[in-house]
């Protein structure tokens, strides 16, 4: 094996050797502790260390890396203390994630490492966002994301590479091709000759390297980094290697032909580099043994220190408190108010937030010159420029991942789903990355996703869904749903000010049909605070969005019934105090929403009232929801579908109790 030591001193080569050997010896120790039951699980990278170590050495210390679960060498080469890593692997409160994550599913801002999620592919588009942040700051830096060869089959791989290429982002996509997924061989994973062949399809440079050659990996990534930074373009690197142990220790290796182990054991990266170092007379048998013993002693000391950690003490209040990052204080309305349509209030809130936060970036399909499908961002391109108002390819998942990367890079972002229905294509990034990252390792996800939602406009099953309940089940998200122009502006500005991920639902049927007074100056409406629309004595309607207007119309048309109406405004977190107060007003409660009945958010409200306000009730809680069918296209069918058509029946039923 040829090793290119160009421009590397003897001191650097010896340092490289230590960096390569250290994770190998740690792994050997961890496998022993695994058998002793002192750690619960281990994903071995034995045989692949040269890739993680070489790539990390090639980057600047403050350049972000998105590793996976077989990249111990990234963490050790970034000099993360083994004692604390060991606490992490034990699930200790003193680890990097307070016991909330296992193995390498964590990140650390001081070390510029972004923790993975088990879905693998989403790491790639986070690198896009971090690289975009570097680009917007005019920083000469790159981001690097790892993938296995199995991860290249995921849609996120295509989306992330396509975005990086189209936007010209300094990202290095590093694929560790070790021949197998868990047990699936590459012959069943892809059909091209090599994964690097895919680079040309995205219009980017690609190179294949010997992943077991430390210096080849180092020199290649170093060159790729220089190219990516200078040319502002991505690079795909395929590192050929082999996994000498199972996917994880419980998996075994029976599915691997024995001759492959014999073949690849001769290419062991540590052994090969030791041989090279001996050939150039920088190491000999005695010095190798001395370094090994030194590192083993260091490992024993660090593990002993890691075992001194105190037992984890469960504190439920702390668990709940870490779901969200602290939100900024509310900015009260001031000055004059003018009559505005619902859609214009959204535009104004977005525009004023762009002025308030120079680090705010807007992303979405057709939002730039075209102004968006509903023209909400019309004129924004000329006012704020193409760096901050960005058309995206049709790839919802990668853009949400990019938004998270921007947050890691210190930016805010707004992602517009052209229709709320299309969010399903970005669901994984939202519920597994955005929602969980602050709880997992304290990283904020400063992202707002605008969701044009709802029916009543004859748009059919794929442009009319009310899918807010998909997200109210996910801890870590905030879900807001305004019904008035004033709240539309104030809740949007509050969402954009909030460092937490916010799903902002805006009903399409309200865009141009509803008007109201809106303060002209910048202000925010508190997220998590409901609004009592009107008081009443006979029944209480708890609702949100279009349901507020249906309830108000019904109340106006039926003055003989005294109806209290509560506009939730925020679905997550819920204003339980306001709910209990409106229940107490009448003792009879109707929960109204446009979503379908089964699994709709009304079920959660009804259950909470039954559990906590039973003593206040004079009748069962009744839910009024849309039919449990897809949203039909034809107007008569859609009217029959919507819960509004059953509102009178439900109210009459409730008043009879």
């Amino acid at each position: 094996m040829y090793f290119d030591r160009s421009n590397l001193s003897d001191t650097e080569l010896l340092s490289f050797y230590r960096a390569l050997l250290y994770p190998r010896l740690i792994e050997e120790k961890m496998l022993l502790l695994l058998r002793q039951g002192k750690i619960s699980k281990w994903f071995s990278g034995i045989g692949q260390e040269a890739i993680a170590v070489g790539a990390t050495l090639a980057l600047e210390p403050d350049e972000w890396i998105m590793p996976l679960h077989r990249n111990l060498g990234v963490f050790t080469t970034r000099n993360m203390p083994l004692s604390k890593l060991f606490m992490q692997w034990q699930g200790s409160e003193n680890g990097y994630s307070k016991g909330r994550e296992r193995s390498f599913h964590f990140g650390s801002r001081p070390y510029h490492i972004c923790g993975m999620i088990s879905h693998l592919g989403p790491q790639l588009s986070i690198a896009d966002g971090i690289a975009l942040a570097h680009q917007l700051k005019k920083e000469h830096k790159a981001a690097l994301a790892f993938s296995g060869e199995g991860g290249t089959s995921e849609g996120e791989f295509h989306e992330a590479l396509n975005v990086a290429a189209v936007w010209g982002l300094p990202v290095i996509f590093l694929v560790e091709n070790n021949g197998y997924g868990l047990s699936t061989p590459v012959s069943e994973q892809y059909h091209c000759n090599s994964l690097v062949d895919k680079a040309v399809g995205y219009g980017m440079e690609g190179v294949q390297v010997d992943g077991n050659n430390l210096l080849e990996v180092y020199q290649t990534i170093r060159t790729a980094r220089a190219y990516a930074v200078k040319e502002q373009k991505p690079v795909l690197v395929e590192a050929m290697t082999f996994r000498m142990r199972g996917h994880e220790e419980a998996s075994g290796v029976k599915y691997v032909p024995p001759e492959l182990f014999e073949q690849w054991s001769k290419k062991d990266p540590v052994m090969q580099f030791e041989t090279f170092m001996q050939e150039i007379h920088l190491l000999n048998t005695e010095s190798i043994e001395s370094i090994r013993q030194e590192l083993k002693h260091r490992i024993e000391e660090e593990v002993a220190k890691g075992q001194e950690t105190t037992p984890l003490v469960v504190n439920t209040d702390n668990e709940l408190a870490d779901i969200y990052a602290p939100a900024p204080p509310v900015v009260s309305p001031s000055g004059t108010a003018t009559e505005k349509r619902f859609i214009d209030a959204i535009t104004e809130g977005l525009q004023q937030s762009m002025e308030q936060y120079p680090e705010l970036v807007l992303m979405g399909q057709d939002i730039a010159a075209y102004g968006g499908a509903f023209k909400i961002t019309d004129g924004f391109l000329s006012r704020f420029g193409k760096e901050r108002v960005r058309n995206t390819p049709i790839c919802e998942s990668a853009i949400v991942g990019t938004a998270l990367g921007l947050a890691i890079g210190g930016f805010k972002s707004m992602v517009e789903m052209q229709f709320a229905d299309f969010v399903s294509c970005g669901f994984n990034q939202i519920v597994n990355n955005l929602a969980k990252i602050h709880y997992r390792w304290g990283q904020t996800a400063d992202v707002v996703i605008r969701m044009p939602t709802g029916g009543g406009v004859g748009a059919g099953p794929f442009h009319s869904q009310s899918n807010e309940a998909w997200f109210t089940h996910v801890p870590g998200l905030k879900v807001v749903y305004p019904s008035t122009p004033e709240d539309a502006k104030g809740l949007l500005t509050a969402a954009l000010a909030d460092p937490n991920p916010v799903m902002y639902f805006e009903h399409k049927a309200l865009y141009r049909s509803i008007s109201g007074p809106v303060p002209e100056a910048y202000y925010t409406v508190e997220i998590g605070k409901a609004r009592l629309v009107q008081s009443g004595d006979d029944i209480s309607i708890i609702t949100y969005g279009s349901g507020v207007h249906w309830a108000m119309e019904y109340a106006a048309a039926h003055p003989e019934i005294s109806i209290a109406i509560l506009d939730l405004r925020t679905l997550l977190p819920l204003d339980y105090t306001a709910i209990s107060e409106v229940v107490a007003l009448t003792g009879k409660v109707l929960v109204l929403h446009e979503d379908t009945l089964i699994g709709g958010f009304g079920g959660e409200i009804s259950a909470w009232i039954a559990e906590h306000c039973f003593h206040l009730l004079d009748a069962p809680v009744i839910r009024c929801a849309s039919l449990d069918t897809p949203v039909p296209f034809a107007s008569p069918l859609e009217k029959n579908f919507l819960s509004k058509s059953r509102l009178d029946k439900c109210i009459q039923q409730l008043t009879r109790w």
Side-chain angles (χ1 to χ4, degrees), residues 332-350 352 482-493 504 510-511 514-525:
S332 299
S334 62
T336 59
T338 56
E339 193 81 2
K340 284 187 174 62
R341 298 180 302 174
F342 192 89
I343 192 168
D344 298 326
I346 294 173
T347 295
E348 185 171 273
L350 195 56
Q352 290 182 358
S483 67
T484 67
E486 181 176 0
D487 285 346
K489 177 181 174 180
L491 283 172
L492 180 57
T493 53
Y504 177 90
L510 301 183
Y511 276 156
I514 298 297
S515 297
V518 178
E520 293 182 356
Y522 177 89
Y523 67 95
T524 61
V525 169

Side-chain angles (χ1 to χ4, degrees), residues 35 144 164 219 229 266 274 292 299 482 563 597:
R35 290 192 291 272
L144 184 146
Q219 301 288 12
V229 169
K266 297 175 183 178
E274 283 180 350
R292 282 178 171 266
I299 290 168
I563 299 176
L597 182 69

Side-chain angles (χ1 to χ4, degrees), residues 487-554:
D487 285 346
K489 177 181 174 180
L491 283 172
L492 180 57
T493 53
L496 292 164
D498 199 306
N500 299 285
V502 181
M503 308 299 294
Y504 177 90
F505 285 83
E506 51 196 59
H507 201 293
K508 303 187 298 293
L510 301 183
Y511 276 156
R512 294 172 173 85
S513 65
I514 298 297
S515 297
V518 178
E520 293 182 356
Y522 177 89
Y523 67 95
T524 61
V525 169
E526 182 178 355
I527 293 176
K529 194 74 171 176
R531 175 178 69 98
L532 185 64
V533 178
Q534 64 182 51
S535 190
D537 300 318
D538 295 331
I539 69 169
S540 299
I541 298 179
I542 299 174
T543 186
Y544 56 91
S546 57
V548 174
H549 300 282
W550 297 343
M552 291 170 63
E553 290 171 13
Y554 188 91

Side-chain angles (χ1 to χ4, degrees), residues 348-365:
E348 185 171 273
L350 195 56
Q351 178 179 301
Q352 290 182 358
S353 294
M354 289 287 278
E355 295 164 350
Q356 184 85 2
Y357 298 103
E359 70 274 22
L360 174 59
V361 177
L362 313 184
M363 297 183 288
Q365 296 160 29

Side-chain angles (χ1 to χ4, degrees), residues 73 99 185 219 280 288 326 362 453 553 557 592:
Q219 301 288 12
I280 62 174
I288 289 173
L362 313 184
T453 189
E553 290 171 13
L592 168 66

Side-chain angles (χ1 to χ4, degrees), residues 37-56:
K38 295 182 178 178
I39 57 174
S40 63
K41 201 175 187 69
W42 191 256
F43 293 89
S44 177
I46 290 179
Q48 299 184 200
E49 297 94 341
I51 304 172
V53 173
T56 307

Side-chain angles (χ1 to χ4, degrees), residues 13-29 46 49-50 53-54 57 72-73 76-77 82 214 268-271 273-274 277 283 285 287-296 298-299:
L13 287 176
L14 287 167
S15 174
F16 279 26
Y17 172 65
R18 287 173 176 273
L20 180 65
L21 180 60
Y22 190 44
R24 170 67 62 87
L25 297 179
I26 291 173
E27 284 225 40
E28 291 174 355
K29 177 66 175 178
I46 290 179
E49 297 94 341
V53 173
L57 289 169
L72 172 61
T76 56
T77 306
L82 176 58
L214 176 64
D268 179 87
V270 176
M271 181 189 71
F273 196 64
E274 283 180 350
M277 294 287 279
L283 289 176
T285 304
S287 58
I288 289 173
E289 182 60 25
S290 175
I291 293 172
R292 282 178 171 266
Q293 291 306 316
E294 175 196 335
L295 291 177
K296 285 182 178 180
R298 176 180 164 191
I299 290 168

